[in-house]
Amino acid sequence: MNCAKKRRKRRALVARDGYRCAYCGIADAELTIDHVIPKSRNGVDALWNLRLSCLPCNTGKGSKYVVPADWEKRRMRTTPETSDKGTTVTP
């Protein structure tokens, strides 16, 4: 993935998640990008599979599959997104 795509994806995540950790909701922390379905378990880099996460939550989660607290709310209000390959996927 080139740098421009990574920047766009980061901006989209920040806009969607509002600078909050998807797991604990903390806002005043250094945030990392977390895969809800880990890449080690065939997770993808599509926006529906990425969340902002504080370092303690991301480290604690490791390669486990843990559904973020707001997953259902987001599923209800988002429309299907287009993955990097151009196919439509749903969260």
Side-chain angles (χ1 to χ4, degrees), residues 2-87:
N2 64 28
C3 290
K5 266 188 176 178
K6 283 184 181 181
R7 276 194 298 270
R8 279 195 306 268
K9 200 170 275 192
R10 283 188 183 128
R11 277 188 247 140
L13 281 168
V14 168
R16 184 192 66 198
D17 293 352
Y19 290 101
R20 293 190 159 279
C21 174
Y23 300 101
C24 69
I26 194 168
D28 297 330
E30 183 178 339
L31 299 174
T32 60
I33 295 175
D34 179 57
H35 290 80
V36 176
I37 302 170
K39 289 182 86 172
S40 64
R41 296 178 188 250
N42 299 322
V44 294
D45 283 331
L47 284 175
W48 63 265
N49 190 42
L50 299 173
R51 293 290 180 263
L52 291 178
S53 174
C54 65
L55 196 55
C57 286
N58 199 350
T59 304
K61 178 182 171 273
S63 63
K64 294 180 284 222
Y65 175 69
V66 179
V67 177
D70 63 347
W71 184 265
E72 284 302 316
K73 284 192 284 184
R74 286 187 193 284
R75 268 185 80 168
M76 302 299 268
R77 72 172 185 225
T78 57
T79 57
E81 298 176 20
T82 303
S83 74
D84 296 333
K85 295 187 178 19
T87 57

